[in-house]
């Protein structure tokens, strides 16, 4: 089932034929020993993805939003305090979600396109007695990547749990739960994600990794305000997928196993370099057309870019013309709506996808009466990509 369109939005991302073939496999009973073996293998590779050797991983039917809920609901009790470190629209969703569970929420908000100052986070944590802090690794509204080297120590000095939203980052940027950020105690406590972005699998799976301190936070509570999202109900299943709690999405697990096999076989370090090179190269190529990223290169994400339009380019017309050519990109949100577009460069995409994308952008600008050096843009993309691999 070849992809008929060039789907370059913040997610879902293009799906490799081998993953489609796995998804289309004959549905087995969820207790079938053959399926149990597939599920176990998927869970083991999920642990490898996050280097989560002393915690637990959870893979359940749902979306990234469910992953957020699982992460917050199981670690922060009603009345306790959560700090949201926000680099954009999707970071802010933690605030609404947490308030639904009666959690007290404070927010540190960066200007869109900028980083939150780690020193401000450290000061806030020292004063606020927070149970946990959320950080969105890549905010898909702004294309800003969080600086974990600065933020993890800033949070962990206070003893708060560090909850990382990896929805637009996992399998493209390092999220190593054994990594020590300057101190043996300064590690990621929760990483949450979904299947449909850099992992390259269709939407449908909520994926969450809990470290020892996050598991202890749930164990210390008698109950939580949930049933399906309560990790205590899922731990026996994740340790033995032959047991039953709720019917797993059998075919999605087939696809997930194949997707993770592709990730692991490519090699995590190689995959991280490829994504970093693609991000830099896409932004460099589009810059030839006078299209500037919202985020400076120092804070720009490897997985997605928010690109400001040159003067006089109509957003709806531009994206509509590209869609007619088979290339799909996303509009921007909030105050950037109509002023910028968002382009994903993550998952199982390759160099040729973006050579074609940059050509189509140039052709579309020409059709709209704008000057565009298509060959120059393609050459710049190739130069930067090859120079950063």
């Amino acid at each position: 089932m070849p992809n008929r369109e060039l789907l370059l939005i913040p997610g879902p991302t293009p799906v490799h034929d081998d993953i489609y073939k796995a998804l289309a496999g004959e549905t087995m009973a969820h207790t079938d020993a053959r399926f149990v073996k597939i599920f176990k293998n998927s869970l083991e590779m999920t642990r490898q993805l996050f280097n989560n050797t002393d915690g637990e991983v959870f893979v359940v039917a749902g979306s990234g939003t469910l992953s957020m809920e699982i992460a917050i609901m199981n670690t922060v009790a009603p009345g306790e305090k959560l700090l949201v470190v926000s680099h954009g629209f999707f970071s802010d969703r933690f605030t609404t979600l947490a308030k639904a569970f009666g959690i007290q929420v404070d927010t540190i908000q960066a200007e869109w396109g900028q980083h939150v100052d780690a020193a401000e986070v450290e000061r806030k944590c020292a004063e606020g007695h927070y149970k946990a802090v959320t950080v969105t690794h890549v905010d898909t509204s702004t294309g800003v990547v969080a600086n974990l080297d600065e933020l993890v120590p800033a949070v962990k000095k206070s003893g708060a749990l560090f909850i990382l939203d990896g929805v637009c980052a996992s399998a493209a940027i390092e999220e190593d739960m054994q990594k020590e950020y300057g101190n043996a105690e300064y590690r990621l406590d929760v990483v949450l994600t979904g299947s449909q972005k850099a992992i390259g699998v269709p939407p449908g799976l909520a994926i969450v990794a809990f470290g020892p301190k996050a598991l202890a936070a749930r164990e210390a509570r008698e109950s939580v305000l949930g049933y399906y999202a309560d990790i205590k109900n899922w731990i026996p299943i994740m340790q033995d997928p032959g047991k039953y709690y709720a019917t797993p999405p059998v075919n999605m697990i087939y696809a997930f196993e194949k997707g993770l096999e592709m990730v692991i076989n490519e090699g995590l370090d190689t995959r991280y370099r490829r994504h970093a090179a693609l991000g830099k190269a896409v932004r460099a190529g589009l810059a030839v057309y006078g299209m500037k990223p919202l985020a400076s290169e120092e804070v720009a994400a490897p997985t997605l870019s928010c690109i400001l339009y040159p003067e006089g380019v109509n957003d709806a017309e531009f994206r509509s013309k590209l869609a007619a050519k088979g290339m799909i990109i996303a509009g921007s949100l909030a105050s950037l709506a109509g002023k910028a577009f968002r382009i994903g460069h993550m998952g199982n995409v390759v160099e040729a996808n973006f050579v074609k994308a940059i050509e189509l952008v140039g052709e579309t600008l020409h059709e709209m009466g704008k000057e565009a050096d298509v060959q120059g843009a393609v050459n710049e993309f190739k130069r930067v990509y090859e120079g950063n691999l």
Side-chain angles (χ1 to χ4, degrees):
M1 183 180 176
N3 294 292
R4 296 184 177 87
E5 293 182 330
L6 192 54
L7 185 63
L8 301 179
I9 61 173
T13 58
V15 176
H16 193 280
D17 285 354
D18 288 349
I19 296 174
Y20 277 135
K21 290 175 185 175
L23 183 67
E26 183 175 353
T27 302
M28 298 179 196
H30 56 280
T31 54
D32 189 306
R34 294 168 296 175
F35 172 70
V36 171
K37 182 178 179 180
I38 290 169
F39 204 166
K40 283 183 176 179
N41 189 39
S42 299
L43 292 168
E44 179 55 36
M45 287 189 289
T46 305
R47 292 186 182 94
Q48 291 180 50
L49 177 62
F50 300 117
N51 196 20
N52 187 22
T53 57
D54 55 0
E56 188 58 82
V57 294
F58 304 90
V59 178
V60 301
S63 68
T65 304
L66 177 61
S67 295
M68 295 169 70
E69 186 163 304
I70 290 171
I72 298 301
M73 188 194 76
N74 286 281
T75 56
V76 187
E80 291 183 323
K81 296 179 68 177
L82 175 74
L83 178 64
V84 174
V85 175
S86 176
H87 293 112
F89 179 88
F90 289 94
S91 304
D92 292 340
R93 296 182 74 203
F94 278 110
T95 300
T96 305
L97 189 154
K99 287 181 177 179
F101 290 103
I103 295 167
Q104 298 182 55
V105 185
D106 291 332
T107 303
I108 298 178
Q109 177 79 58
E111 180 182 346
W112 278 31
Q114 302 294 321
H115 262 172
V116 165
D117 179 22
E120 183 181 359
V121 173
E122 185 172 344
R123 285 194 300 271
K124 192 79 171 176
C125 287
E127 298 167 357
H129 305 289
Y130 296 103
K131 180 67 172 295
V133 177
T134 64
V135 174
T136 301
H137 205 169
V138 172
D139 197 296
T140 54
S141 65
T142 60
V144 170
V145 60
N147 187 332
L148 299 188
D149 289 330
E150 294 182 354
L151 288 173
V152 174
V155 169
K156 296 300 293 182
K157 286 175 184 176
S158 71
L161 296 172
F162 194 105
I163 298 174
L164 184 67
D165 174 354
V167 170
C168 197
S170 301
I173 310 172
E174 181 184 74
E175 294 174 334
D176 185 342
M177 297 184 73
Q178 294 303 315
K179 181 175 179 178
E180 298 175 1
Y181 291 84
N183 183 300
E185 296 297 312
Y186 297 174
R187 291 166 33 181
L188 304 175
D189 295 300
V190 180
V191 181
L192 65 97
T193 192
S195 54
Q196 75 276 17
K197 298 203 176 195
I199 295 173
V201 173
L205 294 177
I207 303 152
V208 193
F210 273 57
K213 291 184 178 180
L215 290 172
R218 172 61 188 94
E219 188 62 33
R221 296 171 61 186
E222 184 175 341
S223 63
V224 297
L225 296 177
Y227 178 66
Y228 184 77
D230 184 352
I231 63 168
K232 290 198 77 171
N233 292 329
W234 285 107
I235 287 174
I237 312 306
M238 298 300 107
Q239 294 177 348
D240 179 4
K243 295 180 178 178
Y244 176 76
Y245 167 54
T247 304
V250 171
N251 288 66
M252 278 299 302
I253 299 298
Y254 298 165
F256 186 53
E257 180 192 41
K258 178 56 65 175
L260 286 181
E261 284 177 356
M262 294 178 67
V263 170
I264 300 300
N265 288 341
E266 182 177 358
L268 291 177
D269 288 342
T270 300
R271 196 171 178 94
Y272 300 156
R273 284 196 303 272
R274 174 170 63 81
H275 279 86
L278 273 177
K280 292 176 185 294
V282 168
R283 290 186 290 271
L286 293 176
V288 174
Y289 298 142
M291 294 177 156
K292 298 179 180 180
L294 174 68
S296 67
E297 200 57 47
E298 291 74 24
V299 301
T303 50
L304 172 131
S305 296
C306 180
I307 304 294
L308 300 169
Y309 286 114
E311 189 70 29
V313 176
N314 180 274
D315 171 54
E317 181 185 1
F318 177 75
R319 289 190 290 115
S320 177
K321 285 181 176 293
L322 276 180
K325 300 175 188 293
M327 176 178 163
I328 312 298
I329 56 174
S332 284
L333 304 172
S335 63
L336 290 176
K339 300 175 184 177
F341 66 91
R342 293 176 296 151
I343 182 168
H345 28 80
M346 60 184 149
N348 296 315
V349 290
V350 296
E351 179 182 5
N353 296 137
F354 292 95
V355 169
K356 182 65 174 177
I358 288 172
E359 289 173 345
L360 291 175
V361 168
E363 291 172 11
T364 301
L365 289 172
H366 274 306
E367 291 174 8
M368 297 176 72
K370 304 295 181 182
E371 292 186 6
D373 179 3
V374 176
Q375 192 57 56
V378 169
N379 289 345
E380 181 65 2
F381 166 82
K382 289 182 176 180
R383 182 189 71 79
V384 174
Y385 182 66
E386 293 166 6
N388 282 277
L389 279 179

